[in-house]
Structures are given as C-alpha cells and as structure tokens.
C-alpha cells in the first residue's frame, strides 16, 4: 500500500500533475467572477431597485409556471409562447413597479425584459418540439439562463441558489449559504429580505436575498419522500409546502 502511494506520488511529479493534497476541481480562492457593472444605482435607490428586480423575476416565474402543462404536452407543436407573448404578459404583471420607477431603474428594467425575452426566444425550438413530453424547460431554467444574459448586459447578478441545488450554476456563495441557513432555521413566517453591503473587487455592491417558498404544485419534484427519484430522476428534497427551496439573490453595483 505504502509502496503504491509512493509510486503514484512519483508518477504525479513526473507528469506535473498537482499533488494529492491539492484538490482538483475545487473553487478558486479570492476574487469575483462578476465585478464589472455597466449599470449602477445610487445607494439611496439600491434597496428599492433590488426589491423590484426580485419581484419582477418572481412574477415571470409564475407566468412560465402557468404554461408548464402546455410545455409537457407531447401532442402540441407550437405552444404559442413566443418571446413577444411572454414579454407582454410580463410587462403587465410588473406595471405598478414600472410606473413609479426612476429613469435609472427603467433602463435596468428594459434590459431585464430584453434578457427574459431572449431566453424564451432561444428556447422556441425546444418548447415547440412535438412528440416529446419533458423538454427540460421550467421556471428555474429560464431564471438561470436569463440571469446569465442579464448579467452580461448589466453586471447585476440575479440568481436562485438552492438548498440542494440541481444545476451547479445555483451553488450558493458564502452569503447566500448563510441566508439559506437563516430562513431554514427561522421557519415559515420569516420572509423579510436579508440585505447587506459588500465589496466585489473594487466595486461596492448591495446584496438582497429573499426566500423562494414551495407551493403544492412544486412538490412532485421538491417534495416527499426525500431521496426518492422525481419524474426527472433527481432525488426529491423531502420538503413541504411553505418550506424554502432557495433564495432569490440580487447583487447590484453602487454608483456612490
Ligand atoms: C418537474 C419537476 C419540478 C417542479 C414541478 C418544480 N421544480 Fe424547481 N427545479 C427542478 C429542476 C430540474 C431544477 C434545476 C433547473 C435548472 O437549473 O436547469 C429546479 C430548480 C429549482 C430552483 C433553483 C435551485 C435548485 O434547486 O436547483 C428553485 C429555486 C426551484 N426549482 C423552485 C421551484 C418552485 C418554487 C417550484 C414550484 C412553483 C418548482 N421549483 C417546481 C424541477 C422542478
């Protein structure tokens, strides 16, 4: 056994591979992958902007969820859910927030609508495929893809880290992990956002986190019994209606 370990170590030195103690595929230390913000808001507007963005993404999630039955119908071709259809429903859903938005917030909202619509347009071929039931499209996928497109245009980061995430894109960072822990231990009544100021690289940011709670239609995949495969083959989370599944996390760059 000892001989074998020595032989492996020798081989690693020869091939230039990292020694066993150095974990391969681990998260890099320090730095921030996203720290250049094309859109920033004054400190005084940060809270309201983050709240509006979180509300808008949750509204979009509900619009998409309402189409879930149509999306999985193998008999249907065109689902009638183009980017344009989606965007107009989304704009009406967030109209109150839009009306009283500042010019800076309106500009950010336009980029959000653009990003959300892009993702629905990008997924048309997938959504309109006939003869296939599950096409791997649901609100969380839209959010994940929309977040990437939106960040690319604004710098603002919107993500939904999960307590037992499926896509590695939804891995929580340290602040998000502690928010998840807080909401899990505080129970169903705690819905106040957790907010903080931080520095990402040289950029001052405002962070907003609020719980995403399960409702009965989510339980087929995120409910009980824990560990049993859901219809997609993921292990169910074992959660109940009202439990948190993840947090809506918004990070905005500050201009002052
Ligand atoms: C058909 C099964 C299914 C149903 C029903 C479902 N989800 Fe999910 N959920 C998934 C899958 C699959 C992912 C990973 C999606 C991705 O990132 O592509 C996911 C991801 C998520 C995430 C991101 C964190 C994570 O765990 O990866 C949240 C938050 C979430 N779902 C919330 C909900 C809520 C709230 C509902 C009900 C309104 C719901 N889900 C209903 C399958 C489901």
């Amino acid at each position: 056994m000892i001989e074998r370990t020595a032989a492996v170590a020798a081989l690693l030195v020869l091939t230039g591979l990292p020694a066993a103690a150095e974990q391969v595929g681990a998260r890099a230390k320090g730095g921030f992958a996203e720290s250049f913000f094309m859109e920033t808001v004054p400190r005084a507007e940060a809270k309201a902007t983050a709240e509006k963005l979180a509300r808008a993404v949750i509204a979009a999630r509900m619009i998409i969820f309402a189409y879930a039955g149509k999306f999985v119908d193998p008999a249907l071709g065109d689902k009638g859910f183009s980017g344009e259809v989606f965007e107009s429903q989304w704009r009406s859903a967030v109209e109150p927030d839009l009306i009283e938005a500042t010019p800076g917030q309106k500009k950010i909202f336009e980029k959000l609508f653009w990003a959300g619509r892009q993702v629905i347009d990008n997924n048309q071929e997938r959504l309109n495929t006939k003869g296939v039931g599950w096409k791997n499209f649901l609100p969380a996928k839209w959010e994940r893809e929309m977040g990437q497109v939106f960040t690319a245009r604004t710098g603002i980061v919107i993500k939904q880290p999960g307590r037992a995430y499926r896509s590695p894109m939804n891995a929580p960072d340290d602040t998000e992990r502690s928010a998840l822990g807080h909401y899990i231990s505080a129970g169903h009544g705690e819905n106040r956002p957790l907010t903080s100021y931080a520095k990402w690289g040289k950029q001052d940011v405002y962070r907003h986190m609020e719980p995403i709670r399960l409702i009965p239609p989510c339980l087929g995949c995120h409910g009980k019994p824990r560990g049993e495969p859901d219809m997609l083959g993921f292990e169910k989370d074992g959660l109940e209606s009202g439990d948190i599944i993840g947090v809506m996390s918004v990070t905005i760059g500050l201009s002052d």
Side-chain angles (χ1 to χ4, degrees), residues 58-216:
I58 287 166
R61 160 181 270 280
M62 294 330 281
I63 292 167
I64 295 164
F65 202 65
Y67 276 81
K70 240 184 182 180
F71 292 162
V72 298
D73 185 345
L76 267 184
D78 191 347
K79 307 295 182 299
F81 195 64
S82 62
E84 195 183 344
V85 167
F86 165 67
E87 187 181 345
S88 78
Q89 291 188 24
W90 196 16
R91 280 182 187 270
S92 340
V94 302
E95 206 179 343
D97 271 342
L98 204 54
I99 286 170
E100 47 108 2
T102 64
Q105 289 171 340
K106 283 200 171 115
K107 197 166 157 233
I108 293 170
F109 255 110
E110 286 308 317
K111 291 188 178 182
L112 183 75
F113 293 139
W114 175 86
R117 180 183 173 150
Q118 291 283 313
V119 171
I120 297 295
D121 279 336
N122 276 348
N123 280 284
Q124 284 303 297
E125 194 177 337
R126 172 188 296 275
L127 287 175
N128 295 335
T129 301
K130 223 176 157 173
V132 178
W134 171 245
K135 302 169 190 73
N136 195 3
F137 192 86
L138 75 184
K141 178 185 159 78
W142 171 84
E143 286 176 329
R144 178 161 61 73
E145 295 183 358
M146 186 284 296
Q148 286 285 289
V149 176
F150 182 65
T151 301
R153 267 202 84 184
T154 61
I156 299 169
V157 178
I158 299 183
K159 59 187 272 230
Q160 293 76 36
R163 63 194 288 176
Y165 58 87
R166 286 145 179 82
S167 163
M169 296 272 314
N170 291 327
D173 65 21
D174 293 344
T175 312
E176 291 162 339
R177 189 172 290 109
S178 77
L180 283 162
H182 166 77
Y183 289 118
I184 291 166
S185 57
H188 290 191
E190 170 65 310
N191 289 309
R192 283 172 303 176
L194 284 176
T195 64
S196 55
Y197 289 96
K199 240 185 182 7
W200 277 11
K202 289 179 182 155
Q203 176 67 52
D204 284 308
V205 296
Y206 178 77
R207 304 201 66 182
H208 166 107
M209 269 144 234
E210 62 181 76
I212 302 175
R213 295 193 180 279
L214 295 172
I215 52 175

Side-chain angles (χ1 to χ4, degrees), residues 225-236:
R226 185 193 183 112
E228 281 242 317
D230 66 16
M231 63 194 90
L232 311 177
F234 285 108
E235 288 186 4
K236 290 193 192 182

